[in-house]
Amino acid sequence: MKHLLNQWQMLMENRNRFFWLLQAGGWIGYALVNYIGSLMHEMRDIYTLIIILGAYAGFLLTIPLRYFYRRIWEMAPPLMVLIAIVASYVISVLWAIIDNATYWEIYKFGFRPDSPFFYLKNSLAKFYIILSWSGLYFGIKYYQMLQEEKQKALLASSMAHQAQLKMLRYQLNPHFLFNTLNAISTLILIKDSDKANKMVNKLSRFLRFSLDNDPIKKVPLEKEIDALLLYLDIEKVRFDEQLEVTINLEEETKQALVPSLICQPLIENSIKYAIAQVEGVGKISIQSRKVNDDLEITICDNGPQLESDPNKLFRKEGVGLNNTKQRLQSLYGKHFIFNMSKNEGSGLCVTIVIPFETLEKV
């Protein structure tokens, strides 16, 4: 979004500069064409001054047109075209009068015509030039308007996209807090104040970590695992020795970028629907590996045996899994995989496959 905003600001800042460059370049080109034409007719050297003064007059007279056209820009197109034609003709007449008077005064040594209509000589040719200038002005301005609207649309789309990502990311905090505070409340009710106090301290550390990280930025997988360990420390207070976590990350995947806290709701889902329902030790494994140009993250648990396809069983899942899939879709479009499958023996495995990115590639 910052890139789009800077690009749009540069577009606005450069608009005036672009006009003056074209204005100066166009009239210099006009003067050069006339000078080359004068060489074919063997005009005196003083005629070069006439050409320069004529181009300068055209340069000055078209400047008010620019501001006039700005004022009529919002009018209906037919009326705007009609007014532009009339304005172009008025400017061309003024230019013809100035150009002819300059030519007679300097090149013809103060010649004055018998009829004032002679001052309008070549006004139709100049009308064609001014009309062409007007057409170019409106054409370029319309193109700039389209570019500006395109930048605004991209900026609005980017802001909406990031707002959605923030919403999805921040949605996790109240959902996670609700579950954790419920657990703390239960510990207080059973008068296990030591565990409740430990859980509050762990919760404080996890929330500080969460608030210190931009919700729409990606973080290295290694940092994501550190956040997960803070969360798991909270759950270990509740489950004591009944929770066993195994982490196996391929070395080259540790610096791979992943959405902030993308794995936390998956771990929370495993604890809620698997670990809390098994007898004995509940096991969670987290693995990552690089597959071609993708990063694959797999989270498995040893929860109850699943009788049917997990993807059908969990099609009405709660906030956590839905949130994860929506975030992945917002970030990667169609370039991701979110799949649930039966774990070997018992339990569930959730696999995420996203494009492999590092800070060097971003």
Side-chain angles (χ1 to χ4, degrees):
M1 184 183 73
K2 186 177 180 180
H3 171 71
L4 289 173
L5 184 59
N6 289 338
Q7 194 173 2
W8 181 70
Q9 288 175 341
M10 288 178 61
L11 183 68
M12 298 299 293
E13 290 172 1
N14 291 336
R15 179 169 292 184
N16 278 337
R17 186 184 305 171
F18 183 63
F19 169 81
W20 291 114
L21 285 173
L22 285 180
Q23 176 78 341
W27 288 108
I28 290 173
Y30 168 82
L32 286 174
V33 169
N34 276 273
Y35 175 73
I36 293 171
S38 70
L39 296 178
M40 300 175 61
H41 296 87
E42 298 182 356
M43 305 295 286
R44 299 200 314 269
D45 291 342
I46 194 64
Y47 191 73
T48 303
L49 178 61
I50 305 298
I51 293 173
I52 293 173
L53 291 175
Y56 184 60
F59 176 91
L60 292 178
L61 288 171
T62 49
I63 292 174
L65 271 184
R66 179 197 185 197
Y67 297 99
F68 179 69
Y69 288 160
R70 281 182 176 180
R71 296 182 66 87
I72 66 171
W73 181 254
E74 301 297 331
M75 292 183 177
L79 181 60
M80 183 172 63
V81 170
L82 179 61
I83 294 176
I85 291 173
V86 173
S88 297
Y89 183 74
V90 171
I91 293 297
S92 66
V93 168
L94 290 175
W95 186 22
I97 293 172
I98 294 171
D99 211 21
N100 287 324
T102 304
Y103 175 75
W104 292 328
E105 182 68 30
I106 297 175
Y107 198 78
K108 293 291 186 177
F109 306 106
F111 168 80
R112 291 293 181 270
D114 296 332
S115 172
F117 289 105
F118 278 94
Y119 282 95
L120 302 180
K121 182 182 178 182
N122 297 326
S123 60
L124 287 178
K126 295 186 182 302
F127 174 61
Y128 171 77
I129 294 171
I130 298 298
L131 198 61
S132 298
W133 184 96
S134 300
L136 282 172
Y137 176 84
F138 281 110
I140 293 171
K141 187 172 177 65
Y142 183 70
Y143 173 77
Q144 288 179 330
M145 183 191 71
L146 289 179
Q147 291 297 106
E148 182 181 337
E149 292 301 319
K150 182 180 178 181
Q151 292 297 326
K152 286 181 179 179
L154 287 173
L155 182 61
S157 175
S158 178
M159 292 177 68
H161 176 71
Q162 294 201 20
Q164 181 190 27
L165 287 175
K166 284 185 178 182
M167 178 197 70
L168 291 170
R169 168 64 174 75
Y170 282 133
Q171 187 182 41
L172 294 177
N173 284 345
H175 179 248
F176 158 72
L177 275 173
F178 176 79
N179 292 337
T180 305
L181 292 175
N182 258 351
I184 294 173
S185 176
T186 301
L187 290 172
I188 293 173
L189 285 175
I190 62 176
K191 298 183 179 180
D192 195 340
S193 58
D194 185 52
K195 283 186 178 180
N197 184 53
K198 286 182 180 179
M199 189 172 281
V200 169
N201 288 332
K202 302 288 185 181
L203 175 62
S204 174
R205 290 179 59 197
F206 179 80
L207 291 179
R208 187 177 297 112
F209 180 93
S210 175
L211 293 173
D212 286 344
N213 287 277
D214 193 325
I216 62 174
K217 286 188 177 179
K218 298 174 185 176
V219 298
L221 179 59
E222 195 171 31
K223 191 173 182 180
E224 170 73 2
I225 297 302
D226 289 341
L228 280 181
L229 291 176
L230 288 175
Y231 168 72
L232 287 167
D233 282 345
I234 297 171
E235 297 299 342
K236 284 180 179 179
V237 173
R238 184 155 59 115
F239 289 96
D240 283 332
E241 303 299 325
Q242 292 181 317
L243 179 59
E244 181 180 306
V245 180
T246 304
I247 299 175
N248 183 18
L249 307 180
E250 282 189 359
E251 189 63 32
E252 63 179 331
T253 66
K254 290 183 179 180
Q255 296 305 313
L257 296 179
V258 298
S260 174
L261 292 182
I262 197 67
C263 295
Q264 186 267 334
L266 306 181
I267 297 293
E268 187 175 359
N269 184 75
S270 291
I271 290 174
K272 182 177 180 181
Y273 294 104
I275 306 305
Q277 298 183 28
V278 299
E279 294 182 3
V281 178
K283 297 180 180 181
I284 294 178
S285 67
I286 305 170
Q287 297 181 341
S288 71
R289 61 177 184 150
K290 185 179 180 182
V291 182
N292 298 323
D293 293 327
D294 294 324
L295 171 67
E296 181 182 279
I297 301 172
T298 303
I299 297 174
C300 297
D301 60 59
N302 65 336
Q305 182 70 42
L306 300 175
E307 300 299 332
S308 59
D309 182 359
N311 291 286
K312 295 180 180 178
L313 182 65
F314 288 93
R315 63 182 180 273
K316 295 182 180 179
E317 65 271 18
V319 172
L321 296 181
N322 269 326
N323 181 289
T324 302
K325 287 190 288 188
Q326 288 180 47
R327 288 182 68 197
L328 290 172
Q329 187 170 12
S330 294
L331 283 167
Y332 302 107
K334 296 181 179 179
H335 303 290
F336 81 95
I337 295 174
F338 183 90
N339 183 59
M340 292 180 285
S341 60
K342 297 178 183 179
N343 192 11
E344 293 181 6
S346 65
L348 174 72
C349 283
V350 178
T351 300
I352 294 175
V353 180
I354 58 177
F356 190 91
E357 299 174 328
T358 60
L359 288 174
E360 291 78 11
K361 292 183 178 181
V362 174

mmCIF file with all atom_site columns, all heavy atoms in Angstrom, residues 22-38:
data_model
loop_
_atom_site.group_PDB
_atom_site.id
_atom_site.type_symbol
_atom_site.label_atom_id
_atom_site.label_alt_id
_atom_site.label_comp_id
_atom_site.label_asym_id
_atom_site.label_entity_id
_atom_site.label_seq_id
_atom_site.pdbx_PDB_ins_code
_atom_site.Cartn_x
_atom_site.Cartn_y
_atom_site.Cartn_z
_atom_site.occupancy
_atom_site.B_iso_or_equiv
_atom_site.pdbx_formal_charge
_atom_site.auth_seq_id
_atom_site.auth_comp_id
_atom_site.auth_asym_id
_atom_site.auth_atom_id
_atom_site.pdbx_PDB_model_num
ATOM 1   N N   . LEU A 1 22 ? 6.171  19.556 -21.731 1.00 0.00 ? 22 LEU A N   1
ATOM 2   C CA  . LEU A 1 22 ? 5.511  19.403 -23.026 1.00 0.00 ? 22 LEU A CA  1
ATOM 3   C C   . LEU A 1 22 ? 5.259  20.754 -23.685 1.00 0.00 ? 22 LEU A C   1
ATOM 4   O O   . LEU A 1 22 ? 5.414  20.905 -24.914 1.00 0.00 ? 22 LEU A O   1
ATOM 5   C CB  . LEU A 1 22 ? 4.181  18.658 -22.855 1.00 0.00 ? 22 LEU A CB  1
ATOM 6   C CG  . LEU A 1 22 ? 4.262  17.149 -22.618 1.00 0.00 ? 22 LEU A CG  1
ATOM 7   C CD1 . LEU A 1 22 ? 2.864  16.567 -22.479 1.00 0.00 ? 22 LEU A CD1 1
ATOM 8   C CD2 . LEU A 1 22 ? 4.993  16.463 -23.766 1.00 0.00 ? 22 LEU A CD2 1
ATOM 9   N N   . GLN A 1 23 ? 4.863  21.731 -22.893 1.00 0.00 ? 23 GLN A N   1
ATOM 10  C CA  . GLN A 1 23 ? 4.596  23.059 -23.429 1.00 0.00 ? 23 GLN A CA  1
ATOM 11  C C   . GLN A 1 23 ? 5.856  23.659 -24.059 1.00 0.00 ? 23 GLN A C   1
ATOM 12  O O   . GLN A 1 23 ? 5.833  24.141 -25.194 1.00 0.00 ? 23 GLN A O   1
ATOM 13  C CB  . GLN A 1 23 ? 4.077  23.964 -22.294 1.00 0.00 ? 23 GLN A CB  1
ATOM 14  C CG  . GLN A 1 23 ? 3.835  25.405 -22.682 1.00 0.00 ? 23 GLN A CG  1
ATOM 15  C CD  . GLN A 1 23 ? 2.538  25.626 -23.447 1.00 0.00 ? 23 GLN A CD  1
ATOM 16  O OE1 . GLN A 1 23 ? 1.968  24.699 -24.002 1.00 0.00 ? 23 GLN A OE1 1
ATOM 17  N NE2 . GLN A 1 23 ? 2.075  26.863 -23.486 1.00 0.00 ? 23 GLN A NE2 1
ATOM 18  N N   . ALA A 1 24 ? 6.944  23.615 -23.309 1.00 0.00 ? 24 ALA A N   1
ATOM 19  C CA  . ALA A 1 24 ? 8.192  24.170 -23.831 1.00 0.00 ? 24 ALA A CA  1
ATOM 20  C C   . ALA A 1 24 ? 8.694  23.367 -25.028 1.00 0.00 ? 24 ALA A C   1
ATOM 21  O O   . ALA A 1 24 ? 9.075  23.932 -26.062 1.00 0.00 ? 24 ALA A O   1
ATOM 22  C CB  . ALA A 1 24 ? 9.250  24.198 -22.722 1.00 0.00 ? 24 ALA A CB  1
ATOM 23  N N   . GLY A 1 25 ? 8.681  22.034 -24.894 1.00 0.00 ? 25 GLY A N   1
ATOM 24  C CA  . GLY A 1 25 ? 9.166  21.184 -25.975 1.00 0.00 ? 25 GLY A CA  1
ATOM 25  C C   . GLY A 1 25 ? 8.348  21.333 -27.244 1.00 0.00 ? 25 GLY A C   1
ATOM 26  O O   . GLY A 1 25 ? 8.896  21.358 -28.359 1.00 0.00 ? 25 GLY A O   1
ATOM 27  N N   . GLY A 1 26 ? 7.033  21.452 -27.095 1.00 0.00 ? 26 GLY A N   1
ATOM 28  C CA  . GLY A 1 26 ? 6.150  21.578 -28.254 1.00 0.00 ? 26 GLY A CA  1
ATOM 29  C C   . GLY A 1 26 ? 6.391  22.860 -29.024 1.00 0.00 ? 26 GLY A C   1
ATOM 30  O O   . GLY A 1 26 ? 6.491  22.853 -30.260 1.00 0.00 ? 26 GLY A O   1
ATOM 31  N N   . TRP A 1 27 ? 6.517  23.966 -28.317 1.00 0.00 ? 27 TRP A N   1
ATOM 32  C CA  . TRP A 1 27 ? 6.700  25.244 -28.999 1.00 0.00 ? 27 TRP A CA  1
ATOM 33  C C   . TRP A 1 27 ? 8.127  25.407 -29.538 1.00 0.00 ? 27 TRP A C   1
ATOM 34  O O   . TRP A 1 27 ? 8.328  26.082 -30.554 1.00 0.00 ? 27 TRP A O   1
ATOM 35  C CB  . TRP A 1 27 ? 6.317  26.403 -28.086 1.00 0.00 ? 27 TRP A CB  1
ATOM 36  C CG  . TRP A 1 27 ? 4.828  26.476 -27.910 1.00 0.00 ? 27 TRP A CG  1
ATOM 37  C CD1 . TRP A 1 27 ? 4.110  26.166 -26.810 1.00 0.00 ? 27 TRP A CD1 1
ATOM 38  C CD2 . TRP A 1 27 ? 3.883  26.859 -28.915 1.00 0.00 ? 27 TRP A CD2 1
ATOM 39  N NE1 . TRP A 1 27 ? 2.765  26.316 -27.033 1.00 0.00 ? 27 TRP A NE1 1
ATOM 40  C CE2 . TRP A 1 27 ? 2.587  26.758 -28.333 1.00 0.00 ? 27 TRP A CE2 1
ATOM 41  C CE3 . TRP A 1 27 ? 3.984  27.277 -30.240 1.00 0.00 ? 27 TRP A CE3 1
ATOM 42  C CZ2 . TRP A 1 27 ? 1.435  27.055 -29.032 1.00 0.00 ? 27 TRP A CZ2 1
ATOM 43  C CZ3 . TRP A 1 27 ? 2.815  27.579 -30.935 1.00 0.00 ? 27 TRP A CZ3 1
ATOM 44  C CH2 . TRP A 1 27 ? 1.568  27.465 -30.331 1.00 0.00 ? 27 TRP A CH2 1
ATOM 45  N N   . ILE A 1 28 ? 9.086  24.807 -28.898 1.00 0.00 ? 28 ILE A N   1
ATOM 46  C CA  . ILE A 1 28 ? 10.438 24.787 -29.465 1.00 0.00 ? 28 ILE A CA  1
ATOM 47  C C   . ILE A 1 28 ? 10.438 23.988 -30.764 1.00 0.00 ? 28 ILE A C   1
ATOM 48  O O   . ILE A 1 28 ? 11.057 24.379 -31.767 1.00 0.00 ? 28 ILE A O   1
ATOM 49  C CB  . ILE A 1 28 ? 11.444 24.202 -28.448 1.00 0.00 ? 28 ILE A CB  1
ATOM 50  C CG1 . ILE A 1 28 ? 11.658 25.176 -27.294 1.00 0.00 ? 28 ILE A CG1 1
ATOM 51  C CG2 . ILE A 1 28 ? 12.780 23.884 -29.127 1.00 0.00 ? 28 ILE A CG2 1
ATOM 52  C CD1 . ILE A 1 28 ? 12.493 24.627 -26.160 1.00 0.00 ? 28 ILE A CD1 1
ATOM 53  N N   . GLY A 1 29 ? 9.703  22.874 -30.745 1.00 0.00 ? 29 GLY A N   1
ATOM 54  C CA  . GLY A 1 29 ? 9.567  22.072 -31.963 1.00 0.00 ? 29 GLY A CA  1
ATOM 55  C C   . GLY A 1 29 ? 8.887  22.855 -33.072 1.00 0.00 ? 29 GLY A C   1
ATOM 56  O O   . GLY A 1 29 ? 9.289  22.774 -34.245 1.00 0.00 ? 29 GLY A O   1
ATOM 57  N N   . TYR A 1 30 ? 7.861  23.606 -32.703 1.00 0.00 ? 30 TYR A N   1
ATOM 58  C CA  . TYR A 1 30 ? 7.160  24.455 -33.693 1.00 0.00 ? 30 TYR A CA  1
ATOM 59  C C   . TYR A 1 30 ? 8.125  25.461 -34.315 1.00 0.00 ? 30 TYR A C   1
ATOM 60  O O   . TYR A 1 30 ? 8.136  25.685 -35.546 1.00 0.00 ? 30 TYR A O   1
ATOM 61  C CB  . TYR A 1 30 ? 5.989  25.158 -33.008 1.00 0.00 ? 30 TYR A CB  1
ATOM 62  C CG  . TYR A 1 30 ? 5.369  26.264 -33.822 1.00 0.00 ? 30 TYR A CG  1
ATOM 63  C CD1 . TYR A 1 30 ? 4.432  25.986 -34.814 1.00 0.00 ? 30 TYR A CD1 1
ATOM 64  C CD2 . TYR A 1 30 ? 5.725  27.600 -33.604 1.00 0.00 ? 30 TYR A CD2 1
ATOM 65  C CE1 . TYR A 1 30 ? 3.872  27.015 -35.571 1.00 0.00 ? 30 TYR A CE1 1
ATOM 66  C CE2 . TYR A 1 30 ? 5.164  28.623 -34.352 1.00 0.00 ? 30 TYR A CE2 1
ATOM 67  C CZ  . TYR A 1 30 ? 4.235  28.328 -35.339 1.00 0.00 ? 30 TYR A CZ  1
ATOM 68  O OH  . TYR A 1 30 ? 3.678  29.343 -36.095 1.00 0.00 ? 30 TYR A OH  1
ATOM 69  N N   . ALA A 1 31 ? 8.947  26.082 -33.467 1.00 0.00 ? 31 ALA A N   1
ATOM 70  C CA  . ALA A 1 31 ? 9.907  27.076 -33.964 1.00 0.00 ? 31 ALA A CA  1
ATOM 71  C C   . ALA A 1 31 ? 10.936 26.421 -34.894 1.00 0.00 ? 31 ALA A C   1
ATOM 72  O O   . ALA A 1 31 ? 11.293 26.998 -35.939 1.00 0.00 ? 31 ALA A O   1
ATOM 73  C CB  . ALA A 1 31 ? 10.606 27.746 -32.781 1.00 0.00 ? 31 ALA A CB  1
ATOM 74  N N   . LEU A 1 32 ? 11.406 25.238 -34.540 1.00 0.00 ? 32 LEU A N   1
ATOM 75  C CA  . LEU A 1 32 ? 12.392 24.546 -35.373 1.00 0.00 ? 32 LEU A CA  1
ATOM 76  C C   . LEU A 1 32 ? 11.824 24.192 -36.744 1.00 0.00 ? 32 LEU A C   1
ATOM 77  O O   . LEU A 1 32 ? 12.498 24.332 -37.773 1.00 0.00 ? 32 LEU A O   1
ATOM 78  C CB  . LEU A 1 32 ? 12.877 23.280 -34.656 1.00 0.00 ? 32 LEU A CB  1
ATOM 79  C CG  . LEU A 1 32 ? 13.837 23.495 -33.478 1.00 0.00 ? 32 LEU A CG  1
ATOM 80  C CD1 . LEU A 1 32 ? 14.118 22.177 -32.767 1.00 0.00 ? 32 LEU A CD1 1
ATOM 81  C CD2 . LEU A 1 32 ? 15.137 24.137 -33.956 1.00 0.00 ? 32 LEU A CD2 1
ATOM 82  N N   . VAL A 1 33 ? 10.584 23.727 -36.761 1.00 0.00 ? 33 VAL A N   1
ATOM 83  C CA  . VAL A 1 33 ? 9.949  23.381 -38.039 1.00 0.00 ? 33 VAL A CA  1
ATOM 84  C C   . VAL A 1 33 ? 9.834  24.615 -38.929 1.00 0.00 ? 33 VAL A C   1
ATOM 85  O O   . VAL A 1 33 ? 10.110 24.568 -40.139 1.00 0.00 ? 33 VAL A O   1
ATOM 86  C CB  . VAL A 1 33 ? 8.567  22.737 -37.792 1.00 0.00 ? 33 VAL A CB  1
ATOM 87  C CG1 . VAL A 1 33 ? 7.791  22.624 -39.101 1.00 0.00 ? 33 VAL A CG1 1
ATOM 88  C CG2 . VAL A 1 33 ? 8.730  21.369 -37.150 1.00 0.00 ? 33 VAL A CG2 1
ATOM 89  N N   . ASN A 1 34 ? 9.422  25.725 -38.329 1.00 0.00 ? 34 ASN A N   1
ATOM 90  C CA  . ASN A 1 34 ? 9.306  26.965 -39.108 1.00 0.00 ? 34 ASN A CA  1
ATOM 91  C C   . ASN A 1 34 ? 10.669 27.459 -39.579 1.00 0.00 ? 34 ASN A C   1
ATOM 92  O O   . ASN A 1 34 ? 10.800 27.996 -40.695 1.00 0.00 ? 34 ASN A O   1
ATOM 93  C CB  . ASN A 1 34 ? 8.620  28.048 -38.278 1.00 0.00 ? 34 ASN A CB  1
ATOM 94  C CG  . ASN A 1 34 ? 7.109  27.942 -38.343 1.00 0.00 ? 34 ASN A CG  1
ATOM 95  O OD1 . ASN A 1 34 ? 6.465  28.490 -39.230 1.00 0.00 ? 34 ASN A OD1 1
ATOM 96  N ND2 . ASN A 1 34 ? 6.552  27.214 -37.390 1.00 0.00 ? 34 ASN A ND2 1
ATOM 97  N N   . TYR A 1 35 ? 11.684 27.307 -38.763 1.00 0.00 ? 35 TYR A N   1
ATOM 98  C CA  . TYR A 1 35 ? 13.026 27.737 -39.153 1.00 0.00 ? 35 TYR A CA  1
ATOM 99  C C   . TYR A 1 35 ? 13.540 26.913 -40.338 1.00 0.00 ? 35 TYR A C   1
ATOM 100 O O   . TYR A 1 35 ? 14.109 27.459 -41.293 1.00 0.00 ? 35 TYR A O   1
ATOM 101 C CB  . TYR A 1 35 ? 13.972 27.604 -37.962 1.00 0.00 ? 35 TYR A CB  1
ATOM 102 C CG  . TYR A 1 35 ? 15.415 27.903 -38.311 1.00 0.00 ? 35 TYR A CG  1
ATOM 103 C CD1 . TYR A 1 35 ? 15.834 29.207 -38.544 1.00 0.00 ? 35 TYR A CD1 1
ATOM 104 C CD2 . TYR A 1 35 ? 16.341 26.873 -38.417 1.00 0.00 ? 35 TYR A CD2 1
ATOM 105 C CE1 . TYR A 1 35 ? 17.157 29.490 -38.881 1.00 0.00 ? 35 TYR A CE1 1
ATOM 106 C CE2 . TYR A 1 35 ? 17.660 27.142 -38.754 1.00 0.00 ? 35 TYR A CE2 1
ATOM 107 C CZ  . TYR A 1 35 ? 18.066 28.442 -38.979 1.00 0.00 ? 35 TYR A CZ  1
ATOM 108 O OH  . TYR A 1 35 ? 19.366 28.719 -39.327 1.00 0.00 ? 35 TYR A OH  1
ATOM 109 N N   . ILE A 1 36 ? 13.328 25.597 -40.262 1.00 0.00 ? 36 ILE A N   1
ATOM 110 C CA  . ILE A 1 36 ? 13.747 24.733 -41.380 1.00 0.00 ? 36 ILE A CA  1
ATOM 111 C C   . ILE A 1 36 ? 12.999 25.113 -42.654 1.00 0.00 ? 36 ILE A C   1
ATOM 112 O O   . ILE A 1 36 ? 13.553 25.150 -43.757 1.00 0.00 ? 36 ILE A O   1
ATOM 113 C CB  . ILE A 1 36 ? 13.514 23.252 -41.014 1.00 0.00 ? 36 ILE A CB  1
ATOM 114 C CG1 . ILE A 1 36 ? 14.453 22.847 -39.873 1.00 0.00 ? 36 ILE A CG1 1
ATOM 115 C CG2 . ILE A 1 36 ? 13.748 22.352 -42.227 1.00 0.00 ? 36 ILE A CG2 1
ATOM 116 C CD1 . ILE A 1 36 ? 14.164 21.478 -39.289 1.00 0.00 ? 36 ILE A CD1 1
ATOM 117 N N   . GLY A 1 37 ? 11.712 25.438 -42.514 1.00 0.00 ? 37 GLY A N   1
ATOM 118 C CA  . GLY A 1 37 ? 10.921 25.870 -43.671 1.00 0.00 ? 37 GLY A CA  1
ATOM 119 C C   . GLY A 1 37 ? 11.421 27.181 -44.254 1.00 0.00 ? 37 GLY A C   1
ATOM 120 O O   . GLY A 1 37 ? 11.410 27.384 -45.484 1.00 0.00 ? 37 GLY A O   1
ATOM 121 N N   . SER A 1 38 ? 11.880 28.089 -43.374 1.00 0.00 ? 38 SER A N   1
ATOM 122 C CA  . SER A 1 38 ? 12.367 29.379 -43.859 1.00 0.00 ? 38 SER A CA  1
ATOM 123 C C   . SER A 1 38 ? 13.660 29.243 -44.658 1.00 0.00 ? 38 SER A C   1
ATOM 124 O O   . SER A 1 38 ? 13.948 30.060 -45.538 1.00 0.00 ? 38 SER A O   1
ATOM 125 C CB  . SER A 1 38 ? 12.591 30.328 -42.679 1.00 0.00 ? 38 SER A CB  1
ATOM 126 O OG  . SER A 1 38 ? 13.715 29.913 -41.904 1.00 0.00 ? 38 SER A OG  1
#
